[in-house]
């Protein structure tokens, strides 16, 4: 039994009087791919933003490897460096080329020298199949290409865990395939991933575990086979039936 | 016509000397305005609330009152409380602080126009807030503010023309002296107008060139 | 203490008499500029190509020259041929300069009115002039309000420039009283605050008008 890479314990998150997460606990093992599903507003994206402390939890504790990252005095910037995140809206840096997007974190955060950073950035772009687009600006790339650059940018920081927040929701249907293929490849290389997604085909094929959230709590979790074929809870069944149609 | 050419020959050297002073004042004021305006603009967006208020008051004061009265206040008023400045110094300071208020406002709206996702993404790869502002938000905001800033730079050439009212020998200052020396105010001010048109035209061309150079696809400040 | 208060009162009372002059100069200049602006803008958009070029040239040239230079030129031109007071010469010159800026404002606004509006007006049998007058202009004027409000505050501030041709507006009064009391800081301070109040009130009023007449599209 290896020790978990990520341990989330009774995490709550409120915005004013709005209680979005109401006590979520989740443990993720190294190399595991966890897909979070659930209706919009169920708190999936909020949970991701709690995990990398973009919006730290109001209550509860999170461990990344051996470190409690919710403890006071923790350097949050360091934590985020170890947790990669990919956004629905890509959020590529508009003023930088694809290469520049991957390089800037290497230079500013990982303090690499420019030549070193360029080599590593090119390597990451090759990983997502975009070496030939290195000198394009975001506005010159398709949505799928943008998202793959965003994945390369996150990978450049050498993250221990990758978070994906609906990575294909803003894409035209014909562009989702290339992004999902890159994600599948990453999973095959042993990257630990937490993915919020409505892509049930991806969940079925790639996930080790599917977690169903609703109303700010985890309703049910299990293997894709369990979740898709004989979920225990009626709400899980209703949600999945709805989304499969 | 011959009279006019004679006059032109007589006044051009003095007007050229005035032009040098005008260019000098415009350049120094713009640079001073940038040095002050940059932190003011950043402070108005990212500073603590009390700082935002103070900087907001500064901007309102300079944008809400005429440049000429500001100039008189600095040159004639400040000595009253122990701050005595030379004519040129007063011109630099007034135009510089005035321009800073406008430049800060252009930067502020540009900073606010950069989408929130840019900051989020920068923080997500482990940048501190200051690092994110410096290497992600500011480079974009500066490009967005460039068209407004060019307008300000061109306009500055025209704003400098009030400094002759505290007897600075700029283009207008020379014109005033020449107008009374040759008793030909209309002709001389028309010649001066042509000088200004040339200055503004050249500045406009240079700045358009710079804008084109700095252009990045998907990142322009052209709102029209 | 009592002395300072007395000085302040004297200074204020003297300068505030220039307030009405400042407001009048601004109002005259804005009216003149508005008339020039609307006419030029219509000529610029709907006029004969030669006329369009002429209007563009006027607008580009005037906007490249400092307002104070225009005031001086027109002041000397006007006072050579007609006997006008400095007030009228200054205000008219300021209005003439503002006309170029207002031309650009109204041109932009007219061009922003959807072309379908003109077509629809012509389709119900209006003449071109009728369509401009009763369909395009009413919409354009409302679209122009924010930019026009901005120009109005600029003219208000530029109205101090007529100081240079001797009009007794706020700044001139401040200068006169400071020469008498030897307290320029106080005098120009009062002038600044008076102006600040004036621009803030104007801005508020313009925002109120903008909200009131906003065009729902």
């Amino acid at each position: 039994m290896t020790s978990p890479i990520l341990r989330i314990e009774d995490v709550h998150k409120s915005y004013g009087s709005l209680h979005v997460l109401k006590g979520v606990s989740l443990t993720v093992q190294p190399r595991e791919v966890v897909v979070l599903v659930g209706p919009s507003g169920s708190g999936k994206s909020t949970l991701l933003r709690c995990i990398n402390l973009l919006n730290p939890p109001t209550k509860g504790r999170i461990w990344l490897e051996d470190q409690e990252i919710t403890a006071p005095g923790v350097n949050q910037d360091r934590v985020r460096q170890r947790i990669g995140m990919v956004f629905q809206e890509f959020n590529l840096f508009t003023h930088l080329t694809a290469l520049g997007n991957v390089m800037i974190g290497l230079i500013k955060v990982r303090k690499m020298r420019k030549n070193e950073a360029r080599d590593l950035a090119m390597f990451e772009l090759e990983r997502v199949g975009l070496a030939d687009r290195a000198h394009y600006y975001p506005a010159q790339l398709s949505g799928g290409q943008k998202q793959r650059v965003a994945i390369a940018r996150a990978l450049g920081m050498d993250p221990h865990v990758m978070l994906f927040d609906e990575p294909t929701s803003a894409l035209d249907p014909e562009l989702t395939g290339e992004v999902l293929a890159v994600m599948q490849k990453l999973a095959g290389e042993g990257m630990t991933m937490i993915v919020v997604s409505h892509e049930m085909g991806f969940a079925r094929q790639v996930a080790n575990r599917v977690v169903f959230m609703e109303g700010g709590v985890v309703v049910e979790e299990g293997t894709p086979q369990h979740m898709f074929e004989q979920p225990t809870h009626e709400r899980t069944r209703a949600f999945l039936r709805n989304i499969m149609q | 016509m011959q009279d006019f050419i004679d006059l032109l020959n007589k006044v051009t050297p003095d007007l050229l000397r005035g032009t040098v002073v005008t260019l000098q004042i415009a350049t120094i004021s713009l640079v001073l305005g940038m040095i002050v305006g940059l932190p003011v603009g950043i402070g108005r967006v990212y500073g603590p609330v009390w700082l935002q208020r103070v900087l907001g008051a500064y901007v309102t004061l300079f944008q809400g009152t005429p440049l000429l009265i500001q100039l008189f206040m600095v040159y004639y008023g400040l000595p009253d409380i122990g701050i005595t400045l030379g004519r040129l110094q007063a011109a630099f300071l007034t135009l510089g602080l005035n321009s800073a208020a406008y430049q800060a406002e252009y930067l502020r709206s540009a900073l606010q126009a950069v989408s929130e996702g840019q900051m989020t993404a920068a923080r997500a790869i482990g940048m501190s807030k200051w690092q994110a502002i410096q290497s992600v938000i500011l480079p974009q905001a500066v490009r967005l503010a460039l068209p407004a800033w060019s307008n300000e730079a061109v306009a500055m050439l025209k704003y400098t023309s009030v400094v002759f009212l505290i007897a600075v020998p700029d283009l207008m200052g020379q014109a005033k002296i020449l107008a009374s020396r040759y008793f030909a105010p209309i002709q001389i001010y028309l010649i001066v107008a042509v000088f200004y048109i040339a200055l503004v035209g050249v500045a406009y061309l240079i700045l358009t060139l710079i804008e084109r150079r700095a252009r990045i696809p998907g990142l322009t400040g052209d709102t029209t | 203490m009592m002395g300072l208060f007395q000085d302040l009162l004297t200074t204020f009372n003297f300068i505030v008499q220039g307030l009405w002059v400042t407001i009048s100069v601004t109002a005259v200049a804005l009216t003149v500029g508005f008339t020039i602006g609307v006419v030029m803008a219509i000529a610029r958009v709907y006029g004969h190509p030669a006329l369009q070029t002429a209007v563009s040239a006027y607008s580009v040239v005037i906007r490249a020259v400092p307002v104070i230079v225009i005031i001086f030129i027109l002041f000397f031109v006007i006072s050579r041929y007609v006997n006008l007071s400095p007030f009228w010469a200054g205000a008219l010159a300021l209005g003439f300069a503002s006309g170029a800026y207002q031309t650009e404002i109204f041109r932009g606004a007219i061009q922003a009115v959807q072309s379908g509006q003109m077509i629809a007006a012509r389709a119900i049998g209006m003449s071109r002039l009728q369509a401009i007058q009763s369909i395009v202009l009413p919409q354009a004027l409302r679209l122009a309000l924010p930019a026009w409000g901005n120009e109005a505050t600029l003219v208000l501030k530029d109205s101090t420039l007529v100081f240079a041709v001797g009009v007794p507006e706020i700044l001139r009064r401040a200068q006169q009283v400071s020469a008498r009391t030897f307290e320029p800081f106080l005098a120009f301070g009062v002038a600044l605050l008076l102006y600040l109040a004036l621009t803030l009130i104007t801005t508020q009023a313009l925002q109120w008008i903008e909200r009131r007449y906003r065009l729902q599209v």
Side-chain angles (χ1 to χ4, degrees), chain A residues 77 80 92-93 95 108, chain B residues 118 123-124 131 135 140 216:
Chain A
D77 297 335
R80 289 195 202 101
L92 287 187
F93 301 135
H95 65 306
K108 298 287 170 184
Chain B
Q118 298 287 315
R123 301 304 302 273
Q131 274 182 325
S135 51
Q140 297 188 33
I216 284 180

Side-chain angles (χ1 to χ4, degrees), chain A residues 33 35 86 90 127-128 143-149 151 164-189 193 195-207:
Chain A
V33 176
V35 172
V86 173
F90 329 124
R127 254 175 113 179
V128 299
Q145 290 170 337
K146 280 185 209 170
Q147 196 58 298
R148 284 149 69 198
V149 173
I151 293 173
F164 292 85
D165 189 2
E166 306 206 21
T168 55
S169 298
L171 297 176
D172 294 332
E174 71 272 21
L175 297 177
T176 58
E178 56 187 273
V179 173
L180 293 175
V182 167
M183 290 167 64
Q184 186 163 8
K185 183 175 151 214
L186 273 185
E189 291 168 6
M193 295 164 47
V195 184
V196 172
S197 181
H198 300 297
E199 299 285 343
M200 290 306 136
F202 177 82
R204 214 185 261 273
Q205 273 186 3
V206 183

